[in-house]
Amino acid sequence: MKELVEYIARSLVDNPDAVEVKEIEGARSIILELRVAPEDMGKVIGKQGKIAKSIRTLTKAAGAKQGKRVVVEILK
Amino acid sequence: MELQTVEKKGKTIDEAIKAALDELNCSIDDVTVEVLEEPSKGLLGLVKKPALVRVTLKAKPEKEASSLVKEILQKMGLDCQVESAQFSGDTVRINLSGKDMGLVIGHKGETLDALQFIVGLMLNKKREEKIRVVIDVENYRKKKEESLEALALRLSDKVKKTKKQIIMRPMTSQERRIIHTALQGDPLITTYSLGEEPNRKVVIALKK
């Protein structure tokens, strides 16, 4: 799951090296903390959060396959 | 995606290019060529220098898009394959199939829309001319498109009968486009969109 968010974020930002994802896995849920360079925040959030929403939709579907709830947090 | 590049020497520039094309197993249309060194015969054949060219394989949009889709599906852990990928005009069309197609489509197609949106962004990140990406699963979109067209036609009949305009439910830009296109040939009907995303709606009205 971590790889999925990392892969998407790295392909969208201008500073792929600054992309960091921390995965916290629980019994029923997975929390993914995404950090990107400050100037890349817009690249992973998008207009009205459209990109962030799409990333969450994709991780939700991947989580459904494993029977887990996935939360993606974008951190400053 | 890594671009494939080879550098080749040859007696002439043409020969060097041909050697590179043979190695990449492609035609001249698929590559960009840079001449690094012109050949020179030298004085009396003493300082002969071969031609040196660098040939780079152009990434084909449909190949690039389908490898992006594969990578994402694999990382999602879903059982779903790229069935076909075609590029025509400015649009790449990708069709998927597999056991997990229900998950790939998602509630009202929202997962499929998200996948399509993200792949479109990735594909166009380094492009000047934008390419539209359409991802479909076992013709899910096509069927949805047909039902939207039918709905547009039914509602336009109603507008003509009642002489009152109809405001449709909020739709994505893709869905709205289908409605506009379906009715643009009708001389009595005009369509336009109202409101802001994500609540933008199509209005079907009589032409004045």
Side-chain angles (χ1 to χ4, degrees):
Chain A
M1 195 67 72
K2 189 182 162 201
E3 289 77 37
L4 175 66
V5 175
E6 250 171 18
Y7 177 69
I8 296 175
R10 290 218 165 106
S11 336
L12 298 178
V13 299
D14 293 326
N15 306 292
D17 293 338
V19 170
E20 239 179 85
V21 180
K22 200 171 140 199
E23 181 166 352
I24 304 152
E25 190 164 358
R28 291 205 178 161
S29 64
I30 300 172
I31 300 170
L32 295 158
E33 293 181 346
L34 169 63
R35 279 169 213 273
V36 300
E39 61 271 27
D40 279 331
M41 284 299 270
K43 297 262 164 57
V44 290
I45 294 177
K47 258 190 235 157
Q48 289 164 326
K50 205 175 166 198
I51 301 174
K53 192 175 168 218
S54 296
I55 295 175
R56 292 192 172 110
T57 305
L58 292 178
T59 52
K60 202 169 88 184
K65 171 92 175 178
Q66 303 175 21
K68 287 194 173 176
R69 230 166 58 86
V70 186
V71 180
V72 179
E73 304 244 29
I74 300 170
L75 300 179
K76 270 195 186 163
Chain B
M1 202 163 91
E2 284 298 305
L3 290 176
Q4 245 186 304
T5 299
V6 295
E7 283 177 19
K8 281 280 167 198
K9 285 181 180 172
K11 263 185 231 155
T12 63
I13 290 176
D14 284 346
E15 256 178 56
I17 293 174
K18 191 174 176 300
L21 292 179
D22 284 348
E23 186 171 316
L24 291 169
N25 195 17
C26 63
S27 80
I28 190 80
D29 297 326
D30 303 330
V31 296
T32 49
V33 176
E34 285 168 85
V35 177
L36 300 177
E37 274 168 38
E38 300 268 349
S40 73
K41 288 225 174 76
L43 270 175
L44 305 163
L46 279 176
V47 261
K48 240 189 207 167
K49 248 176 52 189
L52 182 62
V53 296
R54 181 186 290 153
V55 174
T56 306
L57 201 56
K58 275 190 241 168
K60 290 187 182 166
E62 72 273 24
K63 290 236 174 85
E64 203 183 330
S66 88
S67 74
L68 289 170
V69 172
K70 278 182 204 159
E71 195 74 35
I72 293 177
L73 290 172
Q74 188 240 323
K75 289 190 161 52
M76 287 174 77
L78 298 183
D79 179 359
C80 198
Q81 293 81 37
V82 173
E83 191 85 331
S84 65
Q86 284 153 358
F87 180 56
S88 71
D90 63 347
T91 307
V92 174
R93 282 173 196 280
I94 293 179
N95 218 325
L96 307 174
S97 73
K99 228 173 57 209
D100 286 333
M101 53 183 238
L103 278 175
V104 176
I105 294 171
H107 178 62
K108 285 189 177 171
E110 73 176 6
T111 308
L112 194 58
D113 287 339
L115 180 66
Q116 176 174 297
F117 178 63
I118 294 282
V119 171
L121 286 178
M122 288 176 169
L123 191 68
N124 285 312
K125 178 145 173 68
K126 286 181 194 131
R127 277 195 165 73
E128 298 214 339
E129 277 173 47
K130 297 294 173 215
I131 294 174
R132 230 160 62 87
V133 176
V134 178
I135 303 178
D136 203 349
V137 177
E138 312 224 333
N139 293 322
Y140 168 81
R141 257 187 224 291
K142 211 170 166 193
K143 279 177 210 154
K144 215 168 119 183
E145 219 168 280
E146 282 164 5
S147 81
L148 273 179
E149 275 167 18
L151 175 70
L153 294 176
R154 266 202 322 275
L155 291 181
S156 71
D157 281 343
K158 204 169 156 190
V159 170
K160 284 179 214 166
K161 261 188 222 138
T162 61
K163 312 235 183 284
K164 274 186 186 155
Q165 63 176 35
I166 291 177
I167 304 173
M168 300 180 78
R169 68 167 166 85
M171 289 180 181
T172 63
S173 61
Q174 261 189 45
E175 291 175 306
R176 293 197 307 269
R177 193 186 147 119
I178 293 164
I179 307 285
H180 291 308
T181 318
L183 297 178
Q184 76 181 1
D186 193 322
L188 296 173
I189 291 290
T190 175
T191 60
Y192 56 93
S193 297
L194 202 69
E196 291 294 317
E197 298 267 15
N199 277 316
R200 214 162 150 73
K201 304 159 189 164
V202 176
V203 180
I204 304 176
L206 280 181
K207 222 175 236 175
K208 281 171 196 146

